[in-house]
Amino acid sequence: MKAKIAVTPGDGIGPEIVAEAVKVLKAVAEKYGHDLAMETHLVGGAAYDQCGDCLPEESLAACKAADAVLLGAVGGPKYDKLPGPQRPEKRALLTLRKELGLFANMRPAKVWAPLKSASPLKPEIIDSGLDLLVVRELTGGVYFGRHERAADGQSALDLMPYSVAEISRIARVAFEAARKRRGRVTSIDKANVLETSRLWRETVTRIREEEYADIELDHMYVDNGAMQLVRAPQHFDVILTENMFGDILSDEASQITGSIGMLPSASLRSDGFGLYEPIHGSAPDIAGQDIANPLATILSAAMMLKHSFGLTEESDAIERAVGRVLADGILTKDLGGTVKCSEMGQAVIERL
Ligand code: IPM
Ligand code: MG
């Protein structure tokens, strides 16, 4: 098959980790006879430095014209003083999500057997199972509601709107994902306080009754959900939640796997187009040292092959190769090893 990938390395460790994922994609394309055209574009602080805009028109247009986007990470202390709407997180990441219509954010979190001891949870909790998928609504809620500071500077507000249409489409994504996994969705909200959460709960319950009676559904308040994630993570299969709760819970979920450097993500719309990125950030403190862990980005590339291009076999092959790399004790610094970022892509390719 033939596809066009927009590659946007971004800031900090972004260029280093993306380079390794690109190597792996090229190797897969060669081995399986696919034509993957990859072109690099500026986003984030890197773009700001060159053209005074974290998301230049050219980059946005290139992402829109591609079949999928592979992103490293954006942001860094150097850009913290930019006004809110111009900052890399808002201007590059949130604008890309909104402009590309990427409403469904999939963040799988599982423990890789060779890395079990890295989890901060007790072994008996880990052994009972930790393999979950956070399905986070990505283009609504408080991230995209009105943000305002009063004229006198003494108060501010952030609105959190949600519509039945927005809740329904993300709920369906979660139920469909559960069908391919262990058949359970836990919807997380704050329905004891928030009106949007009450609408969320009603809508999710109705969609399950009407369309997904085969899927088990339970609801949790977000405070309890955060607690259950560390107390009994085996309870969770698919977590369905709104934008901000999903942001927080996915960081928590990633940490209990022991290594945020291992977790990929996909941000999708319903036609298969997607943006793929590691869930960790740009890690400016270790940028340029060749010690970052590129596996989350490599696994994000694997998600791209599966979700955007339907290349399940190729995607599984990358995942298996990553598993072997870990089993062989080839570990970057964050995992307790000494292997360089620039060596990891090759290590994965050798095991493909
Ligand atoms: C994430 C990040 C972003 C978010 C930031 C960088 C705006 O934390 O992708 O989880 O909050 O969505
Ligand atoms: Mg986050």
Side-chain angles (χ1 to χ4, degrees):
M1 66 139 274
K2 205 175 143 134
K4 195 154 78 184
I5 303 170
V7 178
T8 52
D11 306 321
I13 58 171
E16 303 162 50
I17 54 179
V18 163
E20 297 309 296
V22 165
K23 269 191 214 167
V24 173
L25 282 172
K26 283 190 176 146
V28 168
E30 191 168 326
K31 179 168 152 100
Y32 292 86
H34 301 303
D35 178 0
L36 301 179
M38 291 182 260
E39 231 178 65
T40 301
H41 303 278
L42 284 172
V43 299
Y48 185 84
D49 290 343
Q50 286 220 4
C51 28
D53 182 355
C54 287
L55 185 62
E57 203 47 54
E58 179 275 331
S59 299
L60 178 58
C63 291
K64 281 185 175 165
D67 299 307
V69 180
L70 179 67
L71 183 114
V74 298
K78 190 173 160 198
Y79 312 101
D80 281 352
K81 289 198 191 70
L82 287 177
Q86 287 181 38
R87 290 176 56 142
E89 292 86 346
K90 171 86 186 160
R91 174 67 189 146
L93 209 49
L94 299 193
T95 310
L96 273 174
R97 288 173 182 169
K98 195 71 174 180
E99 286 280 324
L100 300 173
L102 307 171
F103 69 89
N105 187 213
M106 321 287 274
R107 299 187 161 183
K110 67 169 183 181
V111 173
W112 293 80
L115 302 179
K116 247 192 221 169
S117 61
S119 171
L121 299 185
K122 288 190 182 136
E124 58 267 34
I125 296 182
I126 288 300
D127 286 336
S128 60
L130 200 179
D131 181 356
L132 58 86
L133 171 70
V134 178
V135 176
R136 167 190 178 193
E137 200 292 325
L138 203 60
T139 52
V142 72
Y143 274 60
F144 294 96
R146 229 169 75 217
H147 305 291
E148 253 174 47
R149 184 81 61 100
D152 65 2
Q154 295 308 297
S155 65
L157 72 79
D158 298 282
L159 286 183
M160 182 182 195
Y162 263 113
S163 68
V164 170
E166 286 171 312
I167 301 167
S168 310
R169 66 180 181 178
I170 192 69
R172 290 192 180 98
V173 170
F175 288 127
E176 291 293 336
R179 263 191 191 150
K180 296 194 192 121
R181 294 175 50 99
R182 301 192 301 279
R184 176 193 290 197
V185 170
T186 301
S187 175
I188 296 192
D189 62 37
K190 190 70 185 174
N192 49 350
V193 177
L194 301 177
E195 196 54 37
T196 43
S197 283
R198 287 190 275 271
L199 183 65
W200 183 278
R201 200 174 270 226
E202 279 165 35
T203 306
V204 171
T205 304
R206 181 174 48 75
I207 300 232
R208 142 99 198 2
E209 276 165 14
E210 291 174 1
E211 301 169 36
Y212 297 95
D214 54 316
I215 304 295
E216 202 185 317
L217 170 68
D218 64 341
H219 301 274
M220 274 183 197
Y221 298 139
V222 62
D223 49 351
N224 181 36
M227 179 172 73
Q228 298 306 332
L229 259 177
V230 290
R231 198 187 72 92
Q234 77 279 3
H235 173 82
F236 299 98
D237 178 16
V238 175
I239 290 177
L240 163 64
T241 193
E242 63 87 41
N243 205 342
M244 188 161 68
F245 296 159
D247 178 44
I248 299 167
L249 293 173
S250 61
D251 264 31
E252 185 187 359
S254 74
Q255 195 53 49
I256 60 181
T257 68
S259 43
I260 192 165
M262 291 299 301
L263 297 204
S265 79
S267 304
L268 307 171
R269 61 181 191 220
S270 33
D271 64 357
F273 178 90
L275 179 148
Y276 300 81
E277 58 174 325
I279 90 150
H280 61 71
S282 60
D285 53 322
I286 60 163
Q289 298 176 35
D290 199 15
I291 57 171
N293 179 357
L295 291 178
T297 317
I298 290 172
L299 291 166
S300 300
M303 288 186 88
M304 172 190 290
L305 296 179
K306 175 152 42 189
H307 291 285
S308 284
F309 307 149
L311 301 176
T312 308
E313 190 189 330
E314 290 82 339
S315 174
D316 292 348
I318 296 180
E319 278 194 27
R320 277 196 309 273
V322 168
R324 284 196 203 114
V325 162
L326 299 174
D328 290 346
I330 299 183
L331 306 173
T332 40
K333 192 165 176 220
D334 57 308
L335 305 176
T338 55
V339 171
K340 299 277 178 222
C341 177
S342 59
E343 294 164 351
M344 263 304 194
Q346 194 53 38
V348 172
I349 290 166
E350 277 160 17
R351 285 158 186 80
L352 259 174

